[in-house]
Amino acid sequence: MADAARSPISLEGLDLAALVASRVCHDVISPVGAIVNGLELMEDGADQATTELALDLIRKSAKTASARLQFCRIAFGAAGSAGSAIDTRDAHQVATNFLNDDRTTIDWHIPPAFLPKNRVKLLLNLLMLAAGAIPRGGVIKVEMTGEGDTAGFAIVVTGLNARIPPHANELLAGIPANEQGTIDAHAIQPYYAGLLARAAGMSVRIEKIEDRVEISAS
């Protein structure tokens, strides 16, 4: 396959950090911008009805921004850096707050446990890929395979027109999605997930099977 013949992506630490930071900012800038818009409406001497609408926008946007930041803190950051494990209950909470909405539901079947940090970070990054597989919404069912330091994950994604996110397999393997061999802030997330998998000694597989997408990490 032509893509597989491309040289693996090689990023300096500073470039990787900059791209991950850009991705986090991309996820947060929309709700923060909505908060600013709501405040501007109120500052313009809006009537009572408009003020109520602005306050509702601010409340919803602040909740969204908080959920995204808490998720990114674990998925991309050094949350719990004092130890080498993360509680799956924390992962469940941030994943539910971040991904559950009126279109998408997380069906969580992972028992409470402290798992190695990179495995939990990988799980959250795979859930981001899973959400990208159902742009019109659906159900993301996640289970744990194995336990402890050898725990893996099985994710089944169902929804209208479920499909493998573009270039996900190449980027997970560290292969660039373009002929130039470069990577941008949009593509950094699956690439980063691949780095986490390799750091944890795991491999990731994404397949489209009939009307669902299956993601496994072991």
Side-chain angles (χ1 to χ4, degrees):
M1 190 167 69
D3 286 343
R6 296 175 186 167
S7 299
I9 299 166
S10 179
L11 284 179
E12 296 291 337
L14 286 175
D15 292 330
L16 175 63
L19 287 169
V20 170
S22 293
R23 173 56 196 254
V24 173
C25 290
H26 175 272
D27 286 343
V28 175
I29 197 167
S30 178
V32 170
I35 293 171
V36 172
N37 290 339
L39 290 171
E40 288 176 346
L41 279 174
M42 295 177 66
E43 289 172 355
D44 289 339
D47 58 25
Q48 184 65 30
T50 303
T51 298
E52 287 298 326
L53 286 175
L55 285 171
D56 187 53
L57 174 64
I58 291 169
R59 281 191 290 266
K60 289 180 179 178
S61 299
K63 183 177 179 180
T64 298
S66 176
R68 292 182 180 184
L69 283 170
Q70 290 180 50
F71 182 93
C72 289
R73 178 173 173 263
I74 297 179
F76 297 118
S81 56
S84 60
I86 295 176
D87 193 336
T88 58
R89 289 172 293 189
D90 293 336
H92 183 196
Q93 185 66 51
V94 298
T96 299
N97 291 344
F98 178 51
L99 297 172
N100 259 16
D101 56 26
D102 56 351
R103 299 189 309 168
T104 303
T105 301
I106 300 291
D107 185 12
W108 188 271
H109 295 275
I110 293 180
F114 282 89
L115 299 182
K117 183 183 301 182
N118 282 339
R119 287 180 183 254
V120 178
K121 290 162 70 75
L122 174 61
L123 169 61
L124 294 181
N125 275 270
L126 293 181
L127 289 175
M128 292 183 76
L129 282 177
I134 42 172
R136 298 188 180 185
V139 178
I140 301 171
K141 180 179 180 181
V142 54
E143 299 177 305
M144 189 164 74
T145 59
E147 57 185 24
D149 289 353
T150 62
F153 309 103
I155 302 171
V156 178
V157 189
T158 54
L160 185 64
N161 296 329
R163 82 289 189 274
I164 296 175
H167 309 297
N169 279 309
E170 296 100 315
L171 291 165
L172 281 165
I175 304 299
N178 57 44
E179 296 291 345
Q180 293 74 34
T182 58
I183 188 168
D184 58 20
H186 178 73
I188 194 65
Q189 191 271 319
Y191 172 76
Y192 181 72
L195 292 178
L196 287 170
R198 290 186 286 279
M202 303 175 74
S203 61
V204 177
R205 187 181 75 252
I206 304 181
E207 296 179 295
K208 174 72 186 299
I209 301 175
E210 296 178 350
D211 62 345
R212 67 189 185 275
V213 172
E214 295 189 0
I215 305 174
S216 63
S218 60

